[in-house]
Amino acid sequence: MRKIGIPVSRDSLDRFLVAIAVGAFFCLALVFLGATLYDWRMVTLFPDWEQSYEYERYVGILNIIAGSLVSVLLVSLLLCLERRSVSLTRGAVAIVLACAGAIVGAISAGWKGAVTVGMAMIALFQVFLLIELIATRQARSDKATGVEKAGSLLLHCGYAVFVIAVAPLSGSRTQLPVFWAATALIVIGTALSFYGHRIERVAVRLAKGRSSSQA
Amino acid sequence: MILDQYIEARNFLVSLAPFVRISFVILGAAFLGIAVRGWTRHARALTWVAALLAFASFLVIGWFHARIATTINLAPWLGEGQAYRLYAPLWIESEKIFFWFLLFIFASLVFVRRVADGGFLRVWSGLAGVFSLLVAILDPFSNPLPRLHAELLAYAQALASQNGYAVNQLLGKFLFYYNTPYMWTHPPLLFASYALLVTALPAFLLGIRAPMTRLVELESLALGPMKLAYLFLTLGMLVGYPWALEAWRGSAWWWSPKINVSIMMWLLYSTYFHSRLYLGRKGFGRLTMLIGLIAFAALVFTYVTTYLIPGVHSYA
């Protein structure tokens, strides 16, 4: 078993990573709930609140909080995916590279550069893992089939592209094409990760049918 | 603009309202009877009856919408050859709850039909009963599409009095709200998702207190509808994004309450799918069931937020 500072079993590490992802999702959901309740209270007290300077400031603060949590979420999901697909070392290297890319992006083009480069690197890692999955024809590992794993990689790649579409590309001409590409990745990826076993079963049946008809 | 044939079709729908109400009250009572008395062997037959009743009602509603599209010309000055038609979607205003129920019954025909778990069927029947009674109370026949009806009357009056401002405003709403392709994709996908999520709900209600083996069994009953629901929910929300960009350009619409709670709901269902990866492990089973329940509460909150909290995506 690989050691990361303290001896840790693969199972407990996987569970810990999933717990982080669950926690990040839940915290983000709480941010949205809090924002809803706060907005409701403010609109009730001050009907013109959404036209005020305070509202602009409030939106700015929420963007920073939500943006930070989305980053934590994507990094934890990346680590989970890497952990389930390849080794922890490669997962850690991927995250370090993504963070380094984000810092370089931030230095050269501010927060837009950071998000674009960081997310693009996360998306590229998913593509890299997908190519590797196809090249090695890794049929089964853990409980997931090859198609399910490919679907999971595609959908997480889609979310990274989606973040690029909605944040740094906001208002640009490329926003909608990038958004639709992300949507296609997310929907196809989700469908494959949910119904991969069925798709594989149908594919195997079709292949058997073809080989028996040739015989 | 001539509204005679539309008014005739609308009056026909209103004349059917008492029969529809009584049918759904009887249906609701029968479902609740199954839930209370435990006659679960009749649940399947009653689901088919509900599906037939809901589908027949939906056909009548569909006919009414077809009459709106074929008999009303929004631009009478252009003549029939260049008629502007109004394609009112079948899931707006008073039709929302009914459409949700219709999809819930169809989802149940697919996913609950083969369920043999008595406890699950009882809770599901209870939900179906409450849902049927809700349809009886908020039926789409008594006062069909009240807001659209008022808008059509106002539009006819504006045309007659040659009030250009009012004509432009209402015509804009007809063409860019009711007729937009987004209105025909975003809401039905979300309603399909909501219907499937109600279908899965009994598993979470029962699973929260169940021992681990039963909890895993119950969760496997919920998984089929949950997967399809999540797929529809994700696609439905994504399809709404370009529409939001068009409709609310320049505002921070993503922090508007209705959008906020919708994202919150999606996040909670995403939490469920990550938590269930370790369903059989200590702590994760009950946590997953709890997240499923919280996510459903978020779904109800999301629905009522439209009518409760003011914002760009709300009627409050």
Side-chain angles (χ1 to χ4, degrees), chain A residues 11 14-15 18-19 21-23 25-26 28-33 35-37 39-40 43 50 55 58-59 62-63 66 73 77 84 143 156 159 162 165-166 170-171 175-176 179-180 182-183 186-187 190-191 193-195 197, chain B residues 111 182 224 226-231 234-235 237-239 241-242 245 249 252-261 263-268 270-271 273-275 277-278 281-282 284 287 291 294 301 305 308-312:
Chain A
D11 185 65
D14 283 354
R15 253 195 297 173
V18 170
V22 167
F25 267 121
F26 202 77
L28 201 52
L30 284 179
V31 169
F32 280 98
L33 177 66
T36 303
L37 297 177
D39 189 281
W40 190 10
V43 167
E50 289 187 359
Y55 182 73
Y58 156 82
V59 166
L62 283 181
N63 282 343
L73 190 60
L77 288 178
R84 270 182 275 149
K143 291 174 197 165
H156 288 88
Y159 282 116
F162 178 76
V166 299
S170 177
Q175 184 181 18
L176 277 181
F179 163 79
W180 285 118
T183 300
I186 290 167
V187 173
T190 307
S193 71
F194 281 169
Y195 303 108
H197 57 291
Chain B
F111 290 105
Y182 295 119
M226 288 295 281
K227 280 180 178 177
L228 200 55
Y230 187 75
L231 194 58
T234 306
L235 182 59
M237 286 178 69
L238 286 170
V239 166
Y241 180 75
L245 287 182
R249 195 175 291 276
W253 54 267
W254 56 93
W255 288 115
S256 178
K258 168 75 179 182
I259 314 284
N260 254 240
V261 288
I263 298 171
M264 177 186 77
M265 174 183 62
W266 180 85
L267 285 166
L268 287 167
S270 304
T271 315
F273 277 104
H274 286 86
S275 173
L277 289 172
Y278 284 90
R281 305 297 168 84
K282 194 184 170 192
F284 273 88
L287 177 72
I291 291 168
I294 294 172
F301 186 50
T305 293
L308 205 66
I309 308 178
V312 288

Side-chain angles (χ1 to χ4, degrees), chain A residues 17 37 182 210:
Chain A
L17 291 172
L37 297 177
R210 201 177 297 157

Side-chain angles (χ1 to χ4, degrees), chain B residues 36 176 181 209 306:
Chain B
V36 174
F176 301 112
R209 287 175 145 198
T306 311

Side-chain angles (χ1 to χ4, degrees), chain A residues 95-151:
Chain A
I95 286 169
V96 169
L97 282 175
C99 291
I103 291 165
V104 172
I107 293 166
S108 54
W111 72 268
K112 283 189 178 185
V115 174
T116 308
V117 177
M119 291 300 145
M121 288 188 83
I122 287 177
L124 280 174
F125 290 134
Q126 314 302 317
V127 174
F128 170 72
L129 286 174
L130 187 67
I131 292 167
E132 192 180 54
L133 186 73
I134 295 165
T136 56
R137 290 174 183 263
Q138 196 180 347
R140 273 171 195 278
S141 76
D142 299 329
K143 291 174 197 165
T145 66
V147 177
E148 283 170 351
K149 285 175 78 175

Side-chain angles (χ1 to χ4, degrees), chain B residues 1-8 71-72 149 152-156:
Chain B
M1 191 173 71
I2 302 156
L3 292 177
D4 294 358
Q5 287 174 299
Y6 155 72
I7 300 280
E8 210 175 288
T71 64
I72 296 173
H149 180 63
L152 282 171
L153 294 182
Y155 187 65

Side-chain angles (χ1 to χ4, degrees), chain B residues 113-169:
Chain B
R113 198 163 43 109
R114 289 183 193 145
V115 171
D117 188 304
F120 184 97
L121 285 175
R122 281 183 83 161
V123 176
W124 175 85
S125 299
L127 287 172
V130 171
F131 216 157
S132 305
L133 294 177
L134 209 58
V135 172
I137 294 165
L138 305 165
D139 81 295
F141 287 77
S142 300
N143 185 12
L145 307 178
R147 192 173 297 124
L148 178 65
H149 180 63
E151 284 165 356
L152 282 171
L153 294 182
Y155 187 65
Q157 204 175 359
L159 280 173
S161 61
Q162 297 189 326
N163 180 348
Y165 177 74
V167 167
N168 277 340
Q169 275 227 317

